[in-house]
Amino acid sequence: CYGWNMVNGPLPLPALRAMRKLGQDIKDARLRRRITAALLAERANISLRTLSKIERGDATVAIGSYAAVLFSLRMIDRFANIADAQYDRTGIELMQEQLPKRVRIPKKKDEKTE
């Protein structure tokens, strides 16, 4: 259900939308910097075709290529925090549910000396 590859079919729609948005955001960042696609591809050490796929949000492109492009755009810090615990609302909520309602200090056993 959660696994994805070319055999299993397309990504879930929210994931596809996120990939397309990431690709468009990368393209917009490149254009804001007035960097040509060829120059960014060279800086990221990827082919122009791979950059084109990234800018379309192609999910078949290796994550390392996305990282190289973001590094070249000086945006790698955002990428490094993509799954940071502080942004994991679901995980934090699950942890909160598992917290004990109260904490008891265990009673000490009497130590007997012989």
Side-chain angles (χ1 to χ4, degrees):
C1 180
Y2 294 104
W4 176 84
N5 60 39
M6 296 302 282
V7 176
N8 292 340
L11 284 172
L13 191 56
L16 282 173
R17 287 183 183 138
M19 292 298 298
R20 286 187 191 133
K21 182 182 184 312
L22 175 60
Q24 187 61 54
D25 290 348
I26 287 171
K27 183 176 184 176
D28 291 346
R30 175 178 64 79
L31 294 173
R32 281 192 300 273
R33 288 162 176 76
R34 291 174 172 72
I35 298 172
T36 65
L39 180 58
L40 181 56
E42 181 181 329
R43 288 180 180 176
N45 199 29
I46 61 173
S47 70
L48 191 54
R49 183 170 186 220
T50 299
L51 178 60
S52 177
K53 287 181 175 184
I54 287 172
E55 290 185 346
R56 288 193 313 265
D58 188 324
T60 65
V61 175
I63 195 167
S65 296
Y66 277 90
V69 169
L70 290 167
F71 176 79
S72 298
L73 291 169
R74 297 184 179 169
M75 299 175 77
I76 197 66
D77 55 326
R78 301 282 310 276
F79 183 72
N81 293 321
I82 210 164
D84 191 284
Q86 70 180 350
Y87 304 113
D88 184 8
R89 292 183 192 141
T90 302
I92 292 168
E93 288 172 9
L94 289 170
M95 283 178 51
Q96 293 293 330
E97 289 175 6
Q98 294 176 355
L99 290 176
K101 298 206 185 302
R102 62 187 206 196
V103 177
R104 295 182 185 166
I105 299 174
K107 293 183 181 180
K108 292 183 180 180
K109 294 183 180 180
D110 291 335
E111 293 181 9
K112 294 183 181 179
T113 58
E114 294 180 14

